[in-house]
Amino acid sequence: MNFGVFCPCTHEDFAGFIENDWINCFLFDTIIKEWDRREIFDRIKEKNKTFFMGFYSDLFEREPQPIVDVGETADIARSFLKPDWKEKIAQYRELFDSEAGHRFYDAFEGFYIDEPFLCGIRGRDFLTVTRELAENFPGKRIFSCFSVGGVAPDIWTTQGCDELTPESARYLTDVAFDMYHPFDGRYAYITDCMKKRMGAREDYRIWQIPCIMNYRGDKTEKHCLDHLHGLYDLLMKEPPEKRGGLICYAWWVSKNETVQLGNVGFSGLQGRHPGDSDWQTLKSEIERIGRECVSASPAGAAKKENAAILLQ
């Protein structure tokens, strides 16, 4: 099973994530933008860890839009396919077919996109792009984290947000949703709604997105502990083969997110600087649950087996 945190590879803590024993999965914003940091991919491969690459900013362009959050009313801006989107996918193929790409292709899990319908992507464009990715990268995964509006609009949605359907989900292999309100029974309900929207399939994995930030700047450490524990327990109710993992939001958040929503990322909740909160209990639980997830992954199980052999 996988465990990771939302965090850019430029963050001061990122190098430590590659070396630690409680993170085994990474997300990157774009293939083209990040390719100059391919030594990071080599290190991920060496450590038997994996990564997903984002494709939104390479393939889509969006009209200006403030951040839209659950509970707010807004008219979302549209996202459109860039004129050269197919050429960009061909460039992905060229990059991974290069000598450098071959070195870490096994560590490349597949593609990731965040809240596509809340970003104004239409279901038909989502299907078109995911089909193209699946056909060009057979065997690689396609992972999307949806807003609540995309999978459970009766809980919350906003004008212009498309909904996931079995048709638009056809090429998805991994799915999640994000909501950072107090953990309660809605999370199980939204998860069930998301599964129904995948159609009559069982060949996909479920992920959960625990809140490890000070959401809206007015939450407590207990809020995050309840969220982390609740979503971990919810994920563990899935059959083992359907557990994708946990990707925690967020170790770091942008200044724009802090200004508009008040969110404070976990890197600012460790007492490192004057005025920072110091949520050490949450830090310990992130690492403990991360180790449990990593040890349950194939690579983690192999390490345990090798250790047992060495001890005999």
Side-chain angles (χ1 to χ4, degrees), residues 131-275:
R131 180 195 293 120
E132 192 80 12
L133 291 170
E135 291 176 351
N136 277 272
F137 292 85
K140 294 303 181 182
R141 310 193 71 85
I142 300 178
F143 177 15
S144 180
C145 175
F146 292 94
S147 68
V148 174
V151 294
D154 57 321
I155 295 293
W156 173 83
T157 191
T158 192
Q159 185 67 34
C161 182
D162 269 13
E163 300 169 18
L164 186 66
T165 66
E167 176 69 7
S168 59
R170 187 190 309 176
Y171 296 97
L172 286 178
T173 63
D174 297 71
V175 289
F177 71 91
D178 57 351
M179 185 171 78
Y180 307 114
H181 293 192
F183 183 82
D184 57 23
R186 292 175 298 169
Y187 287 83
Y189 173 76
I190 297 168
T191 300
D192 287 341
C193 290
M194 183 170 65
K195 292 179 190 177
K196 290 175 183 175
R197 289 180 176 277
M198 292 296 290
R201 297 173 47 189
E202 294 298 330
D203 59 338
Y204 62 90
R205 303 187 303 192
I206 297 291
W207 296 66
Q208 297 290 354
I209 314 294
C211 176
I212 61 167
M213 62 174 169
N214 185 348
Y215 174 59
R216 294 282 185 172
D218 59 6
K219 301 302 183 292
T220 63
E221 185 177 24
K222 184 178 184 302
H223 172 94
C224 292
L225 287 166
D226 290 347
H227 210 265
L228 174 64
H229 292 150
L231 288 178
Y232 182 41
D233 291 345
L234 187 57
L235 181 66
M236 295 303 288
K237 292 179 181 178
E238 301 290 339
E241 67 275 10
K242 299 224 21 201
R243 299 171 192 161
L246 302 174
I247 299 285
C248 302
Y249 194 87
W251 198 268
W252 174 89
V253 302
S254 69
K255 290 182 179 179
N256 188 42
E257 187 173 329
T258 300
V259 169
Q260 292 192 44
L261 298 180
N263 296 343
V264 179
F266 189 69
S267 61
L269 300 172
Q270 300 178 54
R272 292 171 167 177
H273 307 290

Side-chain angles (χ1 to χ4, degrees), residues 2-6 22-26 207 210 212 246-249:
N2 295 294
F3 190 89
V5 296
F6 283 86
W22 53 272
I23 285 178
N24 66 347
C25 186
F26 299 88
W207 296 66
I212 61 167
L246 302 174
I247 299 285
C248 302
Y249 194 87

